Amino acid sequence: MTDHVLRKITPVLLAGGAGTRLWPVSRRTFPKQFSSLTGDETLFQATIRRFVGPDYTRPLVMANEDFRFIVSGQLEQMGVSGATIVVEPVGRNTAPAILAAAQMVAAGNPRGLVLVAPSDHMISDAVAFSETVMKAAEIAETGRIVVFGVRPDRPASAYGYLELAEEEGDFQMVRRFVEKPATDHAADMLARGNCLWNAGIFLFQAQTMIDEFRNHTPEFLAPVQASLDLARRDTNFLRLADAPWRELPDRSLDYAIMEKSGNIAVSPLTCPWADLGGWDSVWQETVAACPNGNAVVADGGSTAIDCQNVLLRSEGDDLQVVGIGLRDTIVVATSDAVLVADLKRAQDVRLAVDALAAKRRKQAVAFPRDYRPWGWYETLARADRFQVKRIMVEPGASLSLQKHMHRSEHWVVVSGTALVTIDDDQRLVSENESVYVPLGAVHRMTNPGKVPVILIEVQTGVYLEEDDIIRYHDQYARPVHPRMPVDGGGAEILPSAAQADVNSAAHHVS
């Protein structure tokens, strides 16, 4: 058995990005990698599952501040433990994130193999993909950076291209990278037959990538290493230090390294691949399973009548989308937005996001369901001086100990049992029971059970925004209010019932 088989590969998943071309399902606050677009699992979960096995170490997930709890929650749903979730202070594109991962692996083994993969691609044959990776590992162990390419079947302008050089033994080198060419240029490259789509998946030895940065963009090395040296553990996250990270250029790996290096080999992917970069890609991946291949119906919420080349998708259980006599059309409906577009204009959906942002519409960036470390909430109704929310609290989870200066709240438990603290009073509130939280009361809700708690919250007051929170304690290490009371030793002063709540929550979460 050869050494490369014995050595495990460290998968590095890139979990950032907004995915605006899949609006309204994908938005800045909840991008496409965390959605189920073509199956039961999310794209992120499907990517993680490809790297669960004897050939791989536990993954590194590079995520930003906004997505860290979504990542940990989806890993928990899969039963995957031990992943390192690295939190970037601010987005700086892929180059700094990949260098940070290489430096982390190199600290333990400079020759350790690193496989970088986006978390929003679709690869339907995981076995064939892994076989391709294992063959490419032999090339990576010679000191090459391996980029994975896809044989193009059309002159797509949405992808980057790899122009191939002559074969060198058992593999080919990359002559140059071509970033999203115009359609006519892409057609010329397709006709020449020496180009592949760039899948954005890279395999290399950790020290090889560090050396490439040293040779081509050395300005990245010190800030990334400093951010790692000053990183701190925060529950199950590794937080990179803020100050040095902010010094870094905002640059992709392609621009920083790949377009400058002469050390790039290519490994063609022999398995089906799609980056799902637009609704036309989703249509292509799902149309074959639909009647007559004419219409895509995502679930029982969509109905096509006399339609052809149509994507119909409903994201709401009670929201029906019906198309009649449509041709080459995309219709995607969520609870707060509807997209209707020509299938040929799928790549222009981002223009809708720009237009809504210019009008300051929340639908441009915010998803109706807002995810928190303890679960999620969504607004059901809102008008002057009142707001109604549906809230889900995960088993063992707890909202922060907090108070509001401008609103009071009524909680009605729909299912499960909540442990509620209001000042010095603590009680269990079960299904069909309610509790009132007066304005200014210090309060918290904890789910001590083993099933989710669902409740309806009615807020009343003159100001109902989320920043009306004075947080006194939080088990997820989110910032607490600078004016929180402390005793002489610096410990938090909590009401007696609240302290019992903290202890109870810690018991159930541990």
Side-chain angles (χ1 to χ4, degrees), residues 112-249:
L113 289 175
V114 179
L115 179 67
V116 175
S119 60
D120 57 0
H121 290 182
M122 178 180 173
I123 296 176
S124 56
D125 191 339
V127 174
F129 174 74
S130 190
E131 290 174 350
T132 301
V133 170
M134 291 304 117
K135 291 178 182 178
E138 300 180 24
I139 304 171
E141 288 183 326
T142 68
R144 306 286 189 183
I145 296 176
V146 181
V147 59
F148 292 81
V150 178
R151 184 66 60 186
D153 57 11
R154 64 191 185 281
S157 60
Y159 301 137
Y161 285 71
L162 308 170
E163 185 177 308
L164 307 183
E166 299 298 324
E167 291 189 12
E168 294 188 15
D170 296 330
F171 58 89
Q172 284 183 284
M173 300 294 288
V174 176
R175 176 177 289 122
R176 68 183 179 119
F177 286 73
V178 181
E179 180 64 21
K180 296 182 179 179
T183 302
D184 55 349
H185 187 193
D188 290 341
M189 291 190 294
L190 189 64
R192 290 199 299 268
N194 69 332
C195 292
L196 300 174
W197 287 334
N198 180 5
I201 305 172
F202 309 100
L203 179 64
F204 50 83
Q205 287 184 328
Q207 190 60 49
T208 296
M209 182 58 71
I210 295 170
D211 291 340
E212 291 287 337
F213 272 90
R214 183 172 291 109
N215 293 334
H216 301 293
T217 49
E219 65 271 20
F220 283 82
L221 290 170
V224 170
Q225 189 61 61
S227 196
L228 280 170
D229 291 342
L230 298 173
R232 61 182 177 87
R233 285 284 176 183
D234 173 0
T235 61
N236 59 333
F237 307 113
L238 179 66
R239 287 183 172 275
L240 299 174
D242 185 276
W245 196 263
R246 290 182 182 274
E247 298 175 8
L248 290 159

Side-chain angles (χ1 to χ4, degrees), residues 427-438:
R427 72 187 81 168
L428 289 172
V429 183
S430 299
E431 185 174 326
N432 292 326
E433 296 180 342
S434 63
V435 65
Y436 172 62
V437 182

Side-chain angles (χ1 to χ4, degrees), residues 372-416:
R372 290 290 188 264
W374 41 261
W376 52 259
Y377 71 83
E378 56 190 356
T379 298
L380 303 179
R382 178 166 179 162
D384 185 39
R385 297 181 66 90
F386 85 90
Q387 181 170 212
V388 181
K389 291 181 177 181
R390 176 165 52 188
I391 298 175
M392 188 278 287
V393 185
E394 297 279 6
S398 178
L399 280 67
S400 61
L401 184 70
Q402 59 186 250
K403 72 177 180 181
H404 309 295
M405 301 303 295
H406 303 287
R407 71 173 185 254
S408 59
E409 296 172 340
H410 298 258
W411 292 341
V412 180
V413 175
V414 177
S415 63

Side-chain angles (χ1 to χ4, degrees), residues 412-429:
V412 180
V413 175
V414 177
S415 63
T417 298
L419 179 64
V420 175
T421 295
I422 303 176
D423 291 328
D424 279 328
D425 178 50
Q426 187 179 65
R427 72 187 81 168
L428 289 172
V429 183

Side-chain angles (χ1 to χ4, degrees), residues 275-356:
D275 78 335
L276 299 182
W279 287 116
D280 52 344
S281 296
V282 177
W283 174 79
Q284 287 169 348
E285 292 302 318
T286 52
V287 68
C290 298
N292 304 319
N294 290 329
V296 174
V297 182
D299 53 32
S302 302
T303 303
I305 302 172
D306 188 28
C307 292
Q308 189 172 12
N309 296 337
V310 168
L311 170 62
L312 302 180
R313 186 182 182 99
S314 168
E315 293 294 310
D317 295 337
D318 298 322
L319 180 63
Q320 291 290 316
V321 173
V322 181
I324 302 176
L326 299 177
R327 300 292 184 269
D328 304 317
T329 304
I330 302 164
V331 182
V332 181
T334 65
S335 62
D336 67 337
V338 179
L339 168 70
V340 182
D342 188 311
L343 186 61
K344 300 182 182 65
R345 299 287 300 275
Q347 296 301 313
D348 290 335
V349 170
R350 65 184 183 277
L351 301 178
V353 179
D354 295 340
L356 291 173

